[in-house]
Structure formats: structure tokens, C-alpha cells
């Protein structure tokens, strides 16, 4: 058994975090999203994996290489243009010579689910069975490909039906097991109204030829990470399972409650209070007198200064959070610098859900507490305050004393203006 992971998309809903990297390379729980699926495949016994790459593919290739460091063999298939799931799968055909599993790189699955797929296929395998689809029950069928089943055989697939016309509440979860014949169906697939080659159309072609497609209703947990705050949700899930692993230095008078991962050459200085689970990567410097609250994830080469408080946040590589700052429920990119006294608020005055702008539309995050989303290379001056749900683009500079109420585009300079009439004060002083 082999596997294909689809990771060619841009992840525009994750902007500005995906301006410099594919969505699947965003960090959650101390690892890139896609690494969890690579490890799940490996643990399920699948070692030959093809990554279908496209947008910023060099970031993925540099990190994973040939896969040997992760216990697998990785090939790369470059998808030229984003023309749908069927087109992406076809891109990897040269690496497939047997049955194979297909995963979307931003849907994190457990190895138990992969094993269940393999077992389902193995126990029902015949010349007529050409695929197994993982299915989930959904409340709103209009956002999914919905299937109709008899026993465990799929008889029809309807793409995003209106709720009153949906044949069931069972949705295609985007996790597949295919025989090689799927490539023949893909070659027969015509481009859709969305200008994409839809894998659901390829599956319908397979059904029309009276081949069998089985449905596996998933009982295993999986996560779809598509928007910035969903990184925080997945981060929480992974850190909840984390065990103590202290490889760095913990000075005297540090209080630790709960699980802590402390990477190599990292130090927690005296007076810090760690309320786990907390992940701290390699070469980090924390404290003194800093408070790290649950679900804090500091990646590599992160410096956190004196008397800082961080809660339920992801701080990416080479970022500094300087003294007297607060970071709550936020995602901070690489190479950022938060000046002393920077406060990233995470709770509205009216205690309502925090809205966020995604792809130009204001949507409800569904969260009562959500802080800021910083792209890479953002710098804030001292005493900067950022209101809940604000996004700041890459490379922006926020001058001292600013209070941000709206999103900031990349490579912007924001300054606070003083209305005080300095000349008048000087004149008054001269009169004295």
C-alpha cells in the first residue's frame, strides 16, 4: 500500500500566515500540519508517500527531503495549476503501482482511521471493489459531497446538494483508498462548472461502470484545519496528549504544573510559572518571572522576556516577546518582535464572539476569546495594543503607543499621532 498527500493549495483562508508557506507547513503542537499525516501513515505501515505539491513547494521539500529522517520514503509530484482533486491525484500516477490512500494535507487523521480503511478494503476486496471513501455525518449537506448508501456500498454521490434534496447526511471526508483503476476514471473526467476536475465525478464514472465503492463511516477523530483560529484548536488537541520531555535547563525557583516539553539548549529562568501543557522548542530563552499558561506553543529560537504572560498561543521560530507583554489566544509568525508592553487582547468589551476577516468577508469565529494573527516579520513598538481578532500582514511595523482596531496590510507602517500642541506649551513656559 502506498499513499498520496495533497498539499499543493495556497490556503488563502489562512492569510497572512500562508503568504510565505503552504498551509500544511503551519505549526500546531510543535510540528507542521502535514507531518502528523506522514507520521500516521508511517505508523499504519505505509512508508512510500508521494506529496503533490505546488504553492511554495520548496518549503515542504526543504523540510522533509527524501523522508528518511521521518522513517518514510517521500517523492514529490508538482501540480501545475490548481485544477481540482482529480487533477492533483493524476499528477502522482507515475509513483503509484498498487492500491493507495489519498489524504488532504490539512485534514489531520489518526493512524487508526488509516488502518480501518485498509482493513475495510482487505476484507471486502474483489475485482469489483475499486475504492473506499471515509464518511462523516454532517448537519449541513450543502457544503459537502453527499453519498447515498445501501448497506455499505455507495450508490450515488451528489455534490453540495440543498438540504431538502440531500440523499443522506453522510459526507465525503476527503480521505480515500483507491485501486489503480481510478486513474482511468480520472482520464474520462470532464472539467466541471468550477473549472476543476472533481474526484466526485471520477467516482461517479466508476459507479456507472457498475464497480463497487464502499463507504466507511468514521468513528475516529480527525481535524479539518482551514482558518487561523483552527490552528489553536488543533494545537490544544495535540498538547493535551503530550508527555513530559525536558531536554533543556530549568533554573531554581521555577514552578511547573502539568506536562512540559522543553527542547534542546532551551532555558527557563528563575521565577517562571509554567501551567501545562506547554511546548517549548529548541534554543528558546524564557523569563525570568514569566507566566506560560496552558496550550502555549513556543517553536524554535523564541525569546520571551521578563514578566511576560502567554496563554493558548502559537509563537513561531525566531520571534521575540519582550518584557511586560501579554499574548492571549494568538498566532504569531516567524521573525517577529513584540516590543515591551505589547498587549494582544483576546476578549471583547461586550463579551460577544470575536469576528475575523477571511478572504475579504467578516465572519464569526464562534470564539469568545481570540487574539491577534501576525504574519512573518511583524514588529511592534513599546506599549502597542491590538484588539481581538486583528490580523497584521507580513513585514509591518507598528510604532510605539498604537492601538489597533482594524486589520493591517503587509509592509505597512502604522504610527500614533499626538494631538498635543507642543508649540503652545513652549510659549507658556517662555511667558513664565
Amino acid at each position: 500500500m502506498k499513499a498520496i498527500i495533497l498539499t499543493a493549495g495556497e490556503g488563502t483562508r489562512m492569510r497572512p500566515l500562508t503568504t510565505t508557506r503552504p498551509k500544511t507547513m503551519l505549526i500546531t503542537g510543535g510540528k507542521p500540519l502535514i507531518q502528523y499525516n506522514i507520521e500516521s501513515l508511517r505508523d499504519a505501515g505505509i512508508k512510500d508517500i508521494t506529496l503533490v505539491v505546488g504553492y511554495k513547494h520548496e518549503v515542504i521539500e526543504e523540510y522533509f527531503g527524501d523522508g528518511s529522517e521521518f522513517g518514510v520514503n517521500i517523492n514529490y509530484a508538482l501540480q501545475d495549476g490548481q485544477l481540482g482533486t482529480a487533477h492533483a491525484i493524476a499528477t502522482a500516477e507515475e509513483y503509484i503501482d498498487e492500491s493507495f490512500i489519498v489524504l488532504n494535507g490539512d485534514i489531520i487523521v489518526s493512524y487508526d482511521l488509516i488502518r480501518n480503511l485498509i482493513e475495510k478494503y482487505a476484507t471486502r476486496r474483489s475485482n469489483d471493489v475499486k475504492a473506499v471513501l471515509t464518511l462523516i455525518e454532517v448537519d449541513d449537506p450543502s457544503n459537502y459531497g453527499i453519498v447515498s448508501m445501501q448497506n455499505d456500498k455507495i450508490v450515488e454521490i451528489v455534490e453540495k446538494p440543498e438540504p431538502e434534496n440531500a440523499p443522506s447526511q453522510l459526507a465525503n471526508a476527503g480521505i480515500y483508498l483507491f485501486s489503480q483503476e481510478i486513474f482511468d476514471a480520472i482520464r474520462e473526467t470532464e472539467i466541471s462548472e468550477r473549472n476543476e476536475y472533481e474526484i466526485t465525478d471520477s467516482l461517479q464514472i466508476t459507479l456507472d461502470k457498475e464497480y463497487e465503492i464502499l463507504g466507511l463511516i468514521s468513528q475516529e477523530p480527525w481535524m479539518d484545519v482551514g482558518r487561523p483560529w483552527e490552528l489553536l484548536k488543533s494545537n490544544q488537541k495535540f498538547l493535551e496528549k503530550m508527555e513530559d520531555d525536558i531536554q533543556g535547563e530549568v533554573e531554581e525557583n521555577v514552578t511547573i504544573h502539568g506536562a512540559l516539553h522543553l527542547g534542546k539548549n532551551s532555558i527557563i529562568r528563575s521565577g517562571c510559572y509554567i501551567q501545562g501543557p506547554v511546548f517549548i522548542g529548541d534554543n528558546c530563552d524564557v523569563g525570568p518571572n514569566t507566566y506560560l499558561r496552558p496550550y502555549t506553543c513556543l517553536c524554535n529560537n523564541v525569546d520571551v522576556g521578563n514578566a511576560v504572560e502567554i496563554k493558548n498561543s502559537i509563537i513561531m521560530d525566531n520571534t521575540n516577546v519582550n518584557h511586560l507583554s501579554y499574548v492571549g489566544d494568538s498566532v504569531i509568525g516567524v521573525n517577529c518582535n513584540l516590543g515591551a508592553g505589547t498587549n494582544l487582547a483576546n476578549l471583547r468589551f461586550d463579551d460577544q464572539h470575536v469576528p475575523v476577516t477571511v478572504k475579504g468577508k467578516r465572519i464569526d469565529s464562534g470564539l469568545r476569546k481570540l487574539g491577534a494573527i501576525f504574519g512573518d516579520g511583524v514588529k511592534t513598538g513599546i506599549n502597542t495594543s491590538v484588539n481581538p481578532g486583528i490580523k497584521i500582514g507580513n513585514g509591518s511595523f507598528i510604532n510605539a503607543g498604537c492601538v489597533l482596531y482594524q486589520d493591517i496590510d503587509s509592509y505597512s507602517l502604522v504610527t500614533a499621532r499626538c494631538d498635543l500642541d507642543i508649540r503652545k506649551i513652549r510659549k507658556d513656559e517662555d511667558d513664565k
Side-chain angles (χ1 to χ4, degrees):
M1 188 73 66
K2 294 187 176 182
I4 295 173
I5 301 180
L6 307 180
T7 179
E10 293 189 28
T12 53
R13 291 185 299 166
M14 282 285 193
R15 293 285 193 260
L17 299 171
T18 52
T19 306
T20 55
R21 61 181 71 80
K23 176 172 62 173
T24 56
M25 289 301 291
L26 291 172
I27 302 298
T28 185
K31 299 177 186 178
L33 285 168
I34 195 173
Q35 185 173 336
Y36 291 100
N37 281 344
I38 290 173
E39 292 174 351
S40 290
L41 288 167
R42 178 199 65 201
D43 294 344
I46 299 175
K47 302 296 179 67
D48 289 316
I49 301 171
T50 299
L51 303 184
V52 177
V53 296
Y55 176 74
K56 303 290 184 184
H57 59 90
E58 65 280 357
V59 178
I60 298 174
E61 293 169 14
E62 181 180 353
Y63 185 89
F64 289 105
D66 64 3
S68 57
E69 184 179 341
F70 303 88
V72 296
N73 174 55
I74 293 179
N75 293 306
Y76 297 94
L78 181 62
Q79 185 183 16
D80 186 12
Q82 310 305 304
L83 296 176
T85 301
H87 179 263
I89 294 170
T91 302
E93 183 176 4
E94 65 178 290
Y95 299 108
I96 302 300
D97 55 8
E98 57 184 295
S99 299
F100 62 101
I101 285 175
V102 175
L103 305 175
N104 287 315
D106 57 351
I107 297 176
I108 303 173
V109 302
S110 69
Y111 71 88
D112 287 327
L113 176 55
I114 295 170
R115 284 178 174 171
N116 291 343
L117 267 179
I118 296 171
E119 290 173 2
K120 181 86 171 181
Y121 183 67
T123 56
R124 293 290 303 278
R125 189 171 185 175
S126 72
N127 291 332
D128 290 333
V129 175
K130 301 301 180 184
V132 183
L133 271 62
T134 304
L135 308 174
I136 55 170
E137 292 191 18
V138 296
D139 295 328
D140 182 3
S142 63
N143 291 322
Y144 301 89
I146 301 299
V147 306
S148 174
M149 283 207 305
Q150 292 179 359
N151 298 322
D152 60 352
K153 295 179 183 179
I154 294 173
V155 296
E156 183 184 20
I157 304 172
V158 182
E159 189 66 25
K160 298 181 179 179
E162 293 298 323
E164 61 273 14
N165 297 323
S168 74
Q169 301 295 113
L170 292 174
N172 175 12
I175 306 162
Y176 312 93
L177 191 154
F178 291 122
S179 67
Q180 286 182 269
E181 283 85 354
I182 193 65
F183 293 115
D184 295 329
I186 289 173
R187 279 186 279 273
E188 296 179 37
T189 301
E190 298 180 355
I191 198 162
S192 70
E193 294 180 356
R194 299 194 303 168
N195 291 319
E196 293 186 354
Y197 295 95
E198 312 277 3
I199 193 62
T200 49
D201 291 343
S202 305
L203 290 167
Q204 190 61 54
I205 290 171
T206 303
L207 289 174
D208 292 343
K209 293 182 177 181
E210 298 186 354
Y211 289 122
E212 293 182 4
I213 297 176
L214 306 180
L216 173 68
I217 300 175
S218 175
Q219 305 298 325
E220 299 295 333
W222 61 283
M223 289 177 280
D224 185 359
V225 183
R227 296 169 295 187
W229 57 91
E230 289 168 349
L231 277 176
L232 296 176
K233 292 181 180 180
S234 62
N235 183 68
Q236 178 176 337
K237 293 289 186 183
F238 288 120
L239 293 192
E240 283 174 345
K241 301 175 183 178
M242 186 182 72
E243 298 180 355
D244 280 330
D245 182 15
I246 299 177
Q247 303 176 47
E249 179 184 355
V250 179
E251 291 187 344
E252 294 183 0
N253 300 316
V254 172
T255 300
I256 301 174
H257 293 288
L260 170 65
H261 173 98
L262 182 64
K264 297 176 182 178
N265 303 314
S266 290
I267 183 169
I268 301 176
R269 299 188 180 277
S270 180
C272 289
Y273 193 101
I274 312 295
Q275 189 177 358
V278 165
F279 180 96
I280 301 173
D282 298 339
N283 305 307
C284 294
D285 192 328
V286 178
N289 306 313
T290 283
Y291 181 21
L292 299 184
R293 294 170 62 183
Y295 312 118
T296 292
C297 176
L298 309 181
C299 296
N300 299 323
N301 306 300
V302 173
D303 285 353
V304 178
N306 175 56
V308 170
E309 181 178 347
I310 302 176
K311 174 243 178 186
N312 187 37
S313 295
I314 300 171
I315 315 291
M316 298 186 193
D317 292 354
N318 305 306
T319 286
N320 300 325
V321 183
N322 290 294
H323 51 284
L324 303 174
S325 294
Y326 174 74
V327 179
D329 301 275
S330 298
V331 181
I332 309 299
V334 304
N335 297 313
C336 293
N337 190 82
L338 278 62
T342 294
N343 287 293
L344 308 186
N346 60 345
L347 181 66
R348 288 167 54 104
F349 244 161
D350 58 10
D351 211 28
Q352 299 300 304
H353 287 176
V354 178
V356 183
T357 301
V358 176
K359 297 183 71 172
K361 295 183 179 179
R362 201 71 171 158
I363 65 172
D364 182 358
S365 69
L367 298 176
R368 179 171 161 267
K369 290 189 176 182
L370 178 63
I373 311 297
F374 281 19
D376 297 345
V378 174
K379 300 185 185 302
T380 66
I382 61 170
N383 298 323
T384 295
S385 295
V386 182
N387 277 280
I390 297 298
K391 298 163 73 175
I392 301 179
N394 290 9
S396 289
F397 289 3
I398 315 300
N399 251 340
C402 288
V403 180
L404 300 186
Y405 296 91
Q406 65 185 49
D407 291 356
I408 305 298
D409 291 336
S410 293
Y411 307 108
S412 298
L413 173 62
V414 181
T415 61
R417 308 185 85 176
C418 182
D419 294 328
L420 195 62
D421 190 339
I422 302 295
R423 289 172 298 176
K424 182 178 185 302
I425 292 176
R426 287 176 179 165
K427 185 175 185 305
D428 290 344
E429 289 177 345
D430 290 342
D431 289 344
K432 292 180 181 178

